[in-house]
Amino acid sequence: MNADASAPLTEQNREQTPKAYQKYLTLCAFLLVVFTASGIFYGFNSLRPLFEEDGAFSWLCTEAELEKTGSCVRQKNEITAVFSYGITATVLATLLMGSTVDFLGPRIGAFLAECCVAVGLVCLAVASKDASAFYYIGAVMLGAVATAPMLAAFSISTLFEGSAGTVTSLISGTFDASSAAFLIAAKIFTAASISLR
């Protein structure tokens, strides 16, 4: 192969290598996706008081129980069951999410996960004591795709030669921190006296 034939190939490789700012922008975008959509379901317990105030599963409560104790055990148990269904979906769907990222790529995998998160959040928003099935649907949707954005983000570490371990740790830490997303939302709703409706 002569020098002229190899020159365009080298130039093409140089054009395909992302610039430093592109790598960091991509990393920041994926970290935002992981924080807002990946491990948020693990902070579900922060929404429990809001669900109780909003009347989730209040049809299970009796007036006598509310007057006597001020709370409803069956309502609390049902909200716990919603969380359990979501966690079960997370465990069962992890392999499927990994396969989805492998076959469709990290961008499409993360996009599909974000769509499922949006549908899950809408289901939680429209759920009510008259439409309590939406609590389960929303929890399962959020739980099923909980790991997909994180798995998609792991591919970003290959862009950072010599720092792949640091980037992977940053992604894992963001996944863990994302459980605070619901806590932040609950604090905002409570401070502003905003109803879930």
Side-chain angles (χ1 to χ4, degrees), residues 122-169:
V122 167
C123 286
L124 291 179
V126 301
S128 66
K129 59 184 177 183
D130 299 321
S132 55
F134 284 108
Y135 288 111
Y136 290 102
I137 296 168
V140 169
M141 292 289 286
L142 290 174
V145 297
T147 57
M150 181 184 65
L151 294 173
F154 281 147
S155 64
I156 300 301
S157 63
T158 59
L159 296 174
F160 296 87
E161 292 180 23
S163 302
T166 303
V167 171
T168 302
S169 298

mmCIF file of all heavy atoms in Angstrom, residues 122-169:
data_model
loop_
_atom_site.group_PDB
_atom_site.id
_atom_site.type_symbol
_atom_site.label_atom_id
_atom_site.label_comp_id
_atom_site.label_asym_id
_atom_site.label_seq_id
_atom_site.Cartn_x
_atom_site.Cartn_y
_atom_site.Cartn_z
ATOM 1 N N VAL A 122 -46.225 9.018 33.933
ATOM 2 C CA VAL A 122 -47.591 9.443 33.578
ATOM 3 C C VAL A 122 -48.609 8.529 34.254
ATOM 4 O O VAL A 122 -49.631 8.994 34.775
ATOM 5 C CB VAL A 122 -47.786 9.468 32.041
ATOM 6 C CG1 VAL A 122 -49.256 9.593 31.670
ATOM 7 C CG2 VAL A 122 -46.987 10.603 31.423
ATOM 8 N N CYS A 123 -48.337 7.225 34.272
ATOM 9 C CA CYS A 123 -49.238 6.279 34.943
ATOM 10 C C CYS A 123 -49.368 6.608 36.428
ATOM 11 O O CYS A 123 -50.474 6.595 36.978
ATOM 12 C CB CYS A 123 -48.745 4.844 34.772
ATOM 13 S SG CYS A 123 -48.996 4.175 33.124
ATOM 14 N N LEU A 124 -48.247 6.926 37.078
ATOM 15 C CA LEU A 124 -48.308 7.304 38.491
ATOM 16 C C LEU A 124 -49.072 8.610 38.678
ATOM 17 O O LEU A 124 -49.774 8.795 39.672
ATOM 18 C CB LEU A 124 -46.906 7.434 39.081
ATOM 19 C CG LEU A 124 -46.106 6.147 39.248
ATOM 20 C CD1 LEU A 124 -44.726 6.451 39.824
ATOM 21 C CD2 LEU A 124 -46.832 5.144 40.122
ATOM 22 N N ALA A 125 -48.948 9.506 37.701
ATOM 23 C CA ALA A 125 -49.629 10.796 37.809
ATOM 24 C C ALA A 125 -51.141 10.665 37.650
ATOM 25 O O ALA A 125 -51.899 11.380 38.304
ATOM 26 C CB ALA A 125 -49.075 11.768 36.768
ATOM 27 N N VAL A 126 -51.585 9.759 36.781
ATOM 28 C CA VAL A 126 -53.033 9.631 36.546
ATOM 29 C C VAL A 126 -53.689 8.619 37.481
ATOM 30 O O VAL A 126 -54.910 8.530 37.534
ATOM 31 C CB VAL A 126 -53.351 9.261 35.073
ATOM 32 C CG1 VAL A 126 -52.810 10.308 34.122
ATOM 33 C CG2 VAL A 126 -52.823 7.875 34.719
ATOM 34 N N ALA A 127 -52.877 7.876 38.222
ATOM 35 C CA ALA A 127 -53.438 6.888 39.146
ATOM 36 C C ALA A 127 -54.233 7.602 40.241
ATOM 37 O O ALA A 127 -53.896 8.706 40.651
ATOM 38 C CB ALA A 127 -52.320 6.062 39.759
ATOM 39 N N SER A 128 -55.272 6.954 40.677
ATOM 40 C CA SER A 128 -56.112 7.509 41.742
ATOM 41 C C SER A 128 -56.782 6.355 42.472
ATOM 42 O O SER A 128 -56.607 5.189 42.108
ATOM 43 C CB SER A 128 -57.157 8.458 41.159
ATOM 44 O OG SER A 128 -58.071 7.738 40.356
ATOM 45 N N LYS A 129 -57.559 6.688 43.492
ATOM 46 C CA LYS A 129 -58.235 5.617 44.223
ATOM 47 C C LYS A 129 -59.240 4.896 43.336
ATOM 48 O O LYS A 129 -59.587 3.752 43.584
ATOM 49 C CB LYS A 129 -58.916 6.160 45.473
ATOM 50 C CG LYS A 129 -59.952 7.220 45.232
ATOM 51 C CD LYS A 129 -60.477 7.732 46.554
ATOM 52 C CE LYS A 129 -61.480 8.852 46.344
ATOM 53 N NZ LYS A 129 -61.959 9.406 47.602
ATOM 54 N N ASP A 130 -59.702 5.572 42.267
ATOM 55 C CA ASP A 130 -60.631 4.937 41.323
ATOM 56 C C ASP A 130 -59.908 4.215 40.188
ATOM 57 O O ASP A 130 -60.523 3.467 39.442
ATOM 58 C CB ASP A 130 -61.578 5.988 40.732
ATOM 59 C CG ASP A 130 -62.428 6.658 41.802
ATOM 60 O OD1 ASP A 130 -62.854 5.948 42.731
ATOM 61 O OD2 ASP A 130 -62.632 7.880 41.714
ATOM 62 N N ALA A 131 -58.614 4.481 40.033
ATOM 63 C CA ALA A 131 -57.822 3.839 38.972
ATOM 64 C C ALA A 131 -56.499 3.379 39.559
ATOM 65 O O ALA A 131 -55.425 3.767 39.109
ATOM 66 C CB ALA A 131 -57.608 4.819 37.820
ATOM 67 N N SER A 132 -56.570 2.549 40.581
ATOM 68 C CA SER A 132 -55.373 2.147 41.313
ATOM 69 C C SER A 132 -54.463 1.215 40.517
ATOM 70 O O SER A 132 -53.292 1.061 40.859
ATOM 71 C CB SER A 132 -55.751 1.487 42.635
ATOM 72 O OG SER A 132 -56.634 0.402 42.420
ATOM 73 N N ALA A 133 -54.969 0.608 39.455
ATOM 74 C CA ALA A 133 -54.120 -0.275 38.637
ATOM 75 C C ALA A 133 -52.954 0.491 38.031
ATOM 76 O O ALA A 133 -51.882 -0.081 37.789
ATOM 77 C CB ALA A 133 -54.945 -0.929 37.536
ATOM 78 N N PHE A 134 -53.135 1.793 37.832
ATOM 79 C CA PHE A 134 -52.062 2.590 37.238
ATOM 80 C C PHE A 134 -50.852 2.705 38.164
ATOM 81 O O PHE A 134 -49.742 2.917 37.698
ATOM 82 C CB PHE A 134 -52.572 3.982 36.851
ATOM 83 C CG PHE A 134 -53.395 3.987 35.598
ATOM 84 C CD1 PHE A 134 -54.757 4.189 35.653
ATOM 85 C CD2 PHE A 134 -52.793 3.791 34.360
ATOM 86 C CE1 PHE A 134 -55.518 4.189 34.496
ATOM 87 C CE2 PHE A 134 -53.537 3.786 33.198
ATOM 88 C CZ PHE A 134 -54.911 3.993 33.264
ATOM 89 N N TYR A 135 -51.055 2.581 39.473
ATOM 90 C CA TYR A 135 -49.903 2.565 40.382
ATOM 91 C C TYR A 135 -49.006 1.367 40.064
ATOM 92 O O TYR A 135 -47.784 1.489 40.013
ATOM 93 C CB TYR A 135 -50.354 2.488 41.840
ATOM 94 C CG TYR A 135 -50.975 3.763 42.366
ATOM 95 C CD1 TYR A 135 -52.332 3.822 42.666
ATOM 96 C CD2 TYR A 135 -50.209 4.900 42.574
ATOM 97 C CE1 TYR A 135 -52.908 4.984 43.154
ATOM 98 C CE2 TYR A 135 -50.769 6.069 43.070
ATOM 99 C CZ TYR A 135 -52.124 6.106 43.355
ATOM 100 O OH TYR A 135 -52.686 7.253 43.835
ATOM 101 N N TYR A 136 -49.622 0.218 39.853
ATOM 102 C CA TYR A 136 -48.857 -0.996 39.544
ATOM 103 C C TYR A 136 -48.183 -0.888 38.182
ATOM 104 O O TYR A 136 -47.013 -1.248 38.028
ATOM 105 C CB TYR A 136 -49.767 -2.224 39.592
ATOM 106 C CG TYR A 136 -50.209 -2.583 40.977
ATOM 107 C CD1 TYR A 136 -51.482 -2.249 41.431
ATOM 108 C CD2 TYR A 136 -49.355 -3.249 41.849
ATOM 109 C CE1 TYR A 136 -51.886 -2.574 42.713
ATOM 110 C CE2 TYR A 136 -49.751 -3.572 43.134
ATOM 111 C CZ TYR A 136 -51.026 -3.233 43.558
ATOM 112 O OH TYR A 136 -51.416 -3.541 44.829
ATOM 113 N N ILE A 137 -48.935 -0.413 37.194
ATOM 114 C CA ILE A 137 -48.374 -0.288 35.837
ATOM 115 C C ILE A 137 -47.189 0.667 35.850
ATOM 116 O O ILE A 137 -46.124 0.381 35.283
ATOM 117 C CB ILE A 137 -49.454 0.181 34.843
ATOM 118 C CG1 ILE A 137 -50.560 -0.869 34.721
ATOM 119 C CG2 ILE A 137 -48.843 0.474 33.477
ATOM 120 C CD1 ILE A 137 -51.794 -0.391 33.992
ATOM 121 N N GLY A 138 -47.357 1.812 36.508
ATOM 122 C CA GLY A 138 -46.273 2.788 36.582
ATOM 123 C C GLY A 138 -45.047 2.243 37.280
ATOM 124 O O GLY A 138 -43.917 2.429 36.822
ATOM 125 N N ALA A 139 -45.255 1.543 38.393
ATOM 126 C CA ALA A 139 -44.133 0.980 39.142
ATOM 127 C C ALA A 139 -43.393 -0.075 38.325
ATOM 128 O O ALA A 139 -42.155 -0.111 38.315
ATOM 129 C CB ALA A 139 -44.624 0.383 40.456
ATOM 130 N N VAL A 140 -44.123 -0.922 37.643
ATOM 131 C CA VAL A 140 -43.490 -1.967 36.825
ATOM 132 C C VAL A 140 -42.723 -1.341 35.660
ATOM 133 O O VAL A 140 -41.612 -1.763 35.339
ATOM 134 C CB VAL A 140 -44.539 -2.985 36.330
ATOM 135 C CG1 VAL A 140 -43.958 -3.907 35.266
ATOM 136 C CG2 VAL A 140 -45.064 -3.807 37.504
ATOM 137 N N MET A 141 -43.303 -0.310 35.038
ATOM 138 C CA MET A 141 -42.603 0.363 33.929
ATOM 139 C C MET A 141 -41.296 1.002 34.415
ATOM 140 O O MET A 141 -40.251 0.859 33.775
ATOM 141 C CB MET A 141 -43.498 1.448 33.316
ATOM 142 C CG MET A 141 -44.707 0.924 32.585
ATOM 143 S SD MET A 141 -44.297 0.120 31.035
ATOM 144 C CE MET A 141 -43.895 1.503 30.013
ATOM 145 N N LEU A 142 -41.359 1.703 35.545
ATOM 146 C CA LEU A 142 -40.153 2.335 36.078
ATOM 147 C C LEU A 142 -39.122 1.299 36.517
ATOM 148 O O LEU A 142 -37.920 1.466 36.284
ATOM 149 C CB LEU A 142 -40.508 3.234 37.269
ATOM 150 C CG LEU A 142 -41.281 4.505 36.965
ATOM 151 C CD1 LEU A 142 -41.676 5.202 38.255
ATOM 152 C CD2 LEU A 142 -40.477 5.435 36.084
ATOM 153 N N GLY A 143 -39.592 0.230 37.156
ATOM 154 C CA GLY A 143 -38.679 -0.801 37.629
ATOM 155 C C GLY A 143 -38.033 -1.587 36.500
ATOM 156 O O GLY A 143 -36.844 -1.900 36.545
ATOM 157 N N ALA A 144 -38.813 -1.887 35.465
ATOM 158 C CA ALA A 144 -38.300 -2.732 34.374
ATOM 159 C C ALA A 144 -37.135 -2.091 33.632
ATOM 160 O O ALA A 144 -36.220 -2.787 33.192
ATOM 161 C CB ALA A 144 -39.427 -3.060 33.399
ATOM 162 N N VAL A 145 -37.151 -0.776 33.502
ATOM 163 C CA VAL A 145 -36.087 -0.111 32.733
ATOM 164 C C VAL A 145 -35.064 0.574 33.632
ATOM 165 O O VAL A 145 -34.251 1.367 33.163
ATOM 166 C CB VAL A 145 -36.683 0.910 31.731
ATOM 167 C CG1 VAL A 145 -37.546 0.210 30.717
ATOM 168 C CG2 VAL A 145 -37.448 2.007 32.453
ATOM 169 N N ALA A 146 -35.082 0.265 34.917
ATOM 170 C CA ALA A 146 -34.211 0.963 35.876
ATOM 171 C C ALA A 146 -32.731 0.861 35.528
ATOM 172 O O ALA A 146 -31.978 1.815 35.713
ATOM 173 C CB ALA A 146 -34.454 0.431 37.289
ATOM 174 N N THR A 147 -32.301 -0.270 35.019
ATOM 175 C CA THR A 147 -30.866 -0.445 34.750
ATOM 176 C C THR A 147 -30.457 -0.066 33.335
ATOM 177 O O THR A 147 -29.262 0.088 33.066
ATOM 178 C CB THR A 147 -30.449 -1.907 35.000
ATOM 179 O OG1 THR A 147 -31.255 -2.761 34.186
ATOM 180 C CG2 THR A 147 -30.604 -2.284 36.463
ATOM 181 N N ALA A 148 -31.415 0.109 32.422
ATOM 182 C CA ALA A 148 -31.076 0.339 31.016
ATOM 183 C C ALA A 148 -30.233 1.591 30.785
ATOM 184 O O ALA A 148 -29.220 1.523 30.074
ATOM 185 C CB ALA A 148 -32.347 0.371 30.166
ATOM 186 N N PRO A 149 -30.594 2.759 31.332
ATOM 187 C CA PRO A 149 -29.745 3.928 31.079
ATOM 188 C C PRO A 149 -28.326 3.758 31.614
ATOM 189 O O PRO A 149 -27.366 4.203 30.976
ATOM 190 C CB PRO A 149 -30.474 5.062 31.821
ATOM 191 C CG PRO A 149 -31.890 4.615 31.900
ATOM 192 C CD PRO A 149 -31.809 3.128 32.071
ATOM 193 N N MET A 150 -28.176 3.101 32.763
ATOM 194 C CA MET A 150 -26.845 2.885 33.312
ATOM 195 C C MET A 150 -26.037 1.948 32.415
ATOM 196 O O MET A 150 -24.868 2.204 32.129
ATOM 197 C CB MET A 150 -26.926 2.305 34.720
ATOM 198 C CG MET A 150 -25.566 2.082 35.353
ATOM 199 S SD MET A 150 -25.626 1.299 36.976
ATOM 200 C CE MET A 150 -26.299 -0.310 36.598
ATOM 201 N N LEU A 151 -26.658 0.869 31.950
ATOM 202 C CA LEU A 151 -25.958 -0.070 31.073
ATOM 203 C C LEU A 151 -25.549 0.611 29.772
ATOM 204 O O LEU A 151 -24.464 0.371 29.243
ATOM 205 C CB LEU A 151 -26.847 -1.279 30.785
ATOM 206 C CG LEU A 151 -27.167 -2.166 31.988
ATOM 207 C CD1 LEU A 151 -28.197 -3.228 31.603
ATOM 208 C CD2 LEU A 151 -25.912 -2.816 32.540
ATOM 209 N N ALA A 152 -26.431 1.477 29.260
ATOM 210 C CA ALA A 152 -26.103 2.216 28.036
ATOM 211 C C ALA A 152 -24.943 3.177 28.273
ATOM 212 O O ALA A 152 -24.069 3.346 27.419
ATOM 213 C CB ALA A 152 -27.336 2.975 27.543
ATOM 214 N N ALA A 153 -24.920 3.792 29.447
ATOM 215 C CA ALA A 153 -23.874 4.774 29.751
ATOM 216 C C ALA A 153 -22.506 4.130 29.927
ATOM 217 O O ALA A 153 -21.480 4.785 29.712
ATOM 218 C CB ALA A 153 -24.253 5.554 31.009
ATOM 219 N N PHE A 154 -22.455 2.858 30.308
ATOM 220 C CA PHE A 154 -21.160 2.202 30.498
ATOM 221 C C PHE A 154 -20.325 2.210 29.218
ATOM 222 O O PHE A 154 -19.100 2.198 29.281
ATOM 223 C CB PHE A 154 -21.339 0.765 30.986
ATOM 224 C CG PHE A 154 -21.634 0.655 32.454
ATOM 225 C CD1 PHE A 154 -22.438 -0.354 32.937
ATOM 226 C CD2 PHE A 154 -21.108 1.557 33.356
ATOM 227 C CE1 PHE A 154 -22.711 -0.469 34.292
ATOM 228 C CE2 PHE A 154 -21.368 1.470 34.712
ATOM 229 C CZ PHE A 154 -22.180 0.452 35.181
ATOM 230 N N SER A 155 -20.976 2.222 28.059
ATOM 231 C CA SER A 155 -20.223 2.225 26.797
ATOM 232 C C SER A 155 -19.431 3.513 26.615
ATOM 233 O O SER A 155 -18.466 3.551 25.858
ATOM 234 C CB SER A 155 -21.172 2.027 25.613
ATOM 235 O OG SER A 155 -22.076 3.123 25.521
ATOM 236 N N ILE A 156 -19.817 4.577 27.313
ATOM 237 C CA ILE A 156 -19.131 5.860 27.199
ATOM 238 C C ILE A 156 -17.699 5.761 27.736
ATOM 239 O O ILE A 156 -16.816 6.491 27.295
ATOM 240 C CB ILE A 156 -19.909 6.954 27.994
ATOM 241 C CG1 ILE A 156 -21.322 7.095 27.447
ATOM 242 C CG2 ILE A 156 -19.192 8.293 27.960
ATOM 243 C CD1 ILE A 156 -21.398 7.456 25.998
ATOM 244 N N SER A 157 -17.469 4.850 28.670
ATOM 245 C CA SER A 157 -16.138 4.748 29.287
ATOM 246 C C SER A 157 -15.057 4.420 28.262
ATOM 247 O O SER A 157 -13.889 4.751 28.477
ATOM 248 C CB SER A 157 -16.144 3.706 30.401
ATOM 249 O OG SER A 157 -16.434 2.427 29.887
ATOM 250 N N THR A 158 -15.435 3.810 27.134
ATOM 251 C CA THR A 158 -14.431 3.476 26.116
ATOM 252 C C THR A 158 -13.868 4.723 25.431
ATOM 253 O O THR A 158 -12.823 4.656 24.801
ATOM 254 C CB THR A 158 -15.029 2.536 25.047
ATOM 255 O OG1 THR A 158 -16.149 3.178 24.430
ATOM 256 C CG2 THR A 158 -15.473 1.220 25.666
ATOM 257 N N LEU A 159 -14.568 5.848 25.546
ATOM 258 C CA LEU A 159 -14.075 7.092 24.946
ATOM 259 C C LEU A 159 -12.928 7.704 25.752
ATOM 260 O O LEU A 159 -12.210 8.560 25.262
ATOM 261 C CB LEU A 159 -15.206 8.123 24.847
ATOM 262 C CG LEU A 159 -16.381 7.791 23.935
ATOM 263 C CD1 LEU A 159 -17.460 8.856 24.068
ATOM 264 C CD2 LEU A 159 -15.919 7.664 22.497
ATOM 265 N N PHE A 160 -12.794 7.275 27.009
ATOM 266 C CA PHE A 160 -11.816 7.883 27.904
ATOM 267 C C PHE A 160 -10.694 6.891 28.199
ATOM 268 O O PHE A 160 -10.719 6.190 29.209
ATOM 269 C CB PHE A 160 -12.493 8.332 29.207
ATOM 270 C CG PHE A 160 -13.519 9.401 29.010
ATOM 271 C CD1 PHE A 160 -14.829 9.059 28.702
ATOM 272 C CD2 PHE A 160 -13.175 10.737 29.115
ATOM 273 C CE1 PHE A 160 -15.786 10.037 28.513
ATOM 274 C CE2 PHE A 160 -14.132 11.729 28.932
ATOM 275 C CZ PHE A 160 -15.439 11.379 28.629
ATOM 276 N N GLU A 161 -9.724 6.833 27.296
ATOM 277 C CA GLU A 161 -8.598 5.915 27.470
ATOM 278 C C GLU A 161 -7.800 6.316 28.707
ATOM 279 O O GLU A 161 -7.497 7.481 28.914
ATOM 280 C CB GLU A 161 -7.693 5.947 26.235
ATOM 281 C CG GLU A 161 -8.342 5.359 25.002
ATOM 282 C CD GLU A 161 -7.408 5.406 23.806
ATOM 283 O OE1 GLU A 161 -6.181 5.471 24.025
ATOM 284 O OE2 GLU A 161 -7.910 5.392 22.682
ATOM 285 N N GLY A 162 -7.515 5.347 29.542
ATOM 286 C CA GLY A 162 -6.759 5.609 30.749
ATOM 287 C C GLY A 162 -7.616 6.073 31.914
ATOM 288 O O GLY A 162 -7.134 6.148 33.038
ATOM 289 N N SER A 163 -8.885 6.408 31.650
ATOM 290 C CA SER A 163 -9.784 6.864 32.720
ATOM 291 C C SER A 163 -11.094 6.087 32.718
ATOM 292 O O SER A 163 -12.077 6.538 33.305
ATOM 293 C CB SER A 163 -10.096 8.356 32.544
ATOM 294 O OG SER A 163 -8.923 9.122 32.548
ATOM 295 N N ALA A 164 -11.103 4.945 32.056
ATOM 296 C CA ALA A 164 -12.345 4.174 31.934
ATOM 297 C C ALA A 164 -12.897 3.762 33.292
ATOM 298 O O ALA A 164 -14.106 3.800 33.522
ATOM 299 C CB ALA A 164 -12.125 2.941 31.056
ATOM 300 N N GLY A 165 -12.014 3.395 34.220
ATOM 301 C CA GLY A 165 -12.461 3.002 35.557
ATOM 302 C C GLY A 165 -13.105 4.158 36.304
ATOM 303 O O GLY A 165 -14.121 3.989 36.989
ATOM 304 N N THR A 166 -12.529 5.342 36.161
ATOM 305 C CA THR A 166 -13.084 6.529 36.815
ATOM 306 C C THR A 166 -14.456 6.865 36.248
ATOM 307 O O THR A 166 -15.397 7.180 36.995
ATOM 308 C CB THR A 166 -12.133 7.733 36.624
ATOM 309 O OG1 THR A 166 -10.852 7.394 37.137
ATOM 310 C CG2 THR A 166 -12.667 8.974 37.315
ATOM 311 N N VAL A 167 -14.593 6.795 34.934
ATOM 312 C CA VAL A 167 -15.873 7.102 34.291
ATOM 313 C C VAL A 167 -16.931 6.078 34.701
ATOM 314 O O VAL A 167 -18.069 6.440 35.002
ATOM 315 C CB VAL A 167 -15.708 7.154 32.752
ATOM 316 C CG1 VAL A 167 -17.055 7.261 32.059
ATOM 317 C CG2 VAL A 167 -14.815 8.324 32.362
ATOM 318 N N THR A 168 -16.548 4.800 34.741
ATOM 319 C CA THR A 168 -17.479 3.761 35.166
ATOM 320 C C THR A 168 -17.930 3.986 36.603
ATOM 321 O O THR A 168 -19.111 3.842 36.932
ATOM 322 C CB THR A 168 -16.838 2.370 35.015
ATOM 323 O OG1 THR A 168 -16.457 2.172 33.653
ATOM 324 C CG2 THR A 168 -17.791 1.268 35.427
ATOM 325 N N SER A 169 -16.991 4.371 37.465
ATOM 326 C CA SER A 169 -17.344 4.669 38.860
ATOM 327 C C SER A 169 -18.271 5.866 38.956
ATOM 328 O O SER A 169 -19.209 5.882 39.763
ATOM 329 C CB SER A 169 -16.081 4.958 39.678
ATOM 330 O OG SER A 169 -15.252 3.831 39.703
#
